[in-house]
Amino acid sequence: SFALLVADPNGVEALDGPVSLQVTDDFVYVACLHSRSITAFARDRTTGKLTYSKDASYLSNWTQYIVDGVDLDTIIQDPVLGFDRWQFGYPIKGMNLIQLSEDNRYLYVT
């Protein structure tokens, strides 16, 4: 059977601009381009119900700043390198695909 569930938008962090999805028996992983994150949902094997899993999700430093409400204009700029690239979503800034390994132990990002 099919059911459409509408979630509280304040309940899931960093789910802006989904571009890729991977599904296992236990999890659903969503790569989100704009929020520069990989958001994970635990999957009930019996019902298929999804529950947001902060522990299994990857939030880049940039994403965590947004979630925490940090004003990005206040971040100090490095005089030589410019902004710290890790603060702005690297290494997953610009990702467009996620792929699980055959054994579901590794999630690859391109």
Side-chain angles (χ1 to χ4, degrees):
S1 73
F2 174 78
L4 177 63
L5 304 176
V6 178
D8 175 1
N10 297 321
V12 177
E13 300 171 337
L15 194 57
D16 185 15
V19 294
S20 185
L21 178 79
Q22 287 289 292
V23 179
T24 71
D25 290 338
D26 299 314
F27 283 94
V28 172
Y29 299 96
V30 182
C32 300
L33 177 65
H34 301 305
S35 58
R36 301 172 190 171
S37 64
I38 299 172
T39 304
F41 297 88
R43 186 169 176 246
D44 184 291
R45 287 180 176 223
T46 304
T47 65
K49 180 180 176 182
L50 300 178
T51 304
Y52 172 62
S53 175
K54 184 174 184 173
D55 292 337
S57 296
Y58 174 80
L59 304 182
S60 66
N61 288 342
W62 184 88
T63 307
Q64 193 61 54
Y65 288 146
I66 299 300
V67 169
D68 292 342
V70 173
D71 180 0
L72 296 180
D73 292 332
T74 65
I75 296 174
I76 298 171
Q77 187 172 19
D78 182 294
V80 177
L81 300 175
F83 289 107
D84 179 352
R85 64 188 187 129
W86 293 100
Q87 293 176 340
F88 291 93
Y90 287 90
I92 60 174
K93 180 180 176 184
M95 72 177 153
N96 59 21
L97 180 69
I98 54 174
Q99 179 69 46
L100 283 162
S101 61
E102 285 188 33
D103 60 5
N104 290 336
R105 291 183 59 207
Y106 303 99
L107 185 68
Y108 300 99
V109 178
T110 62

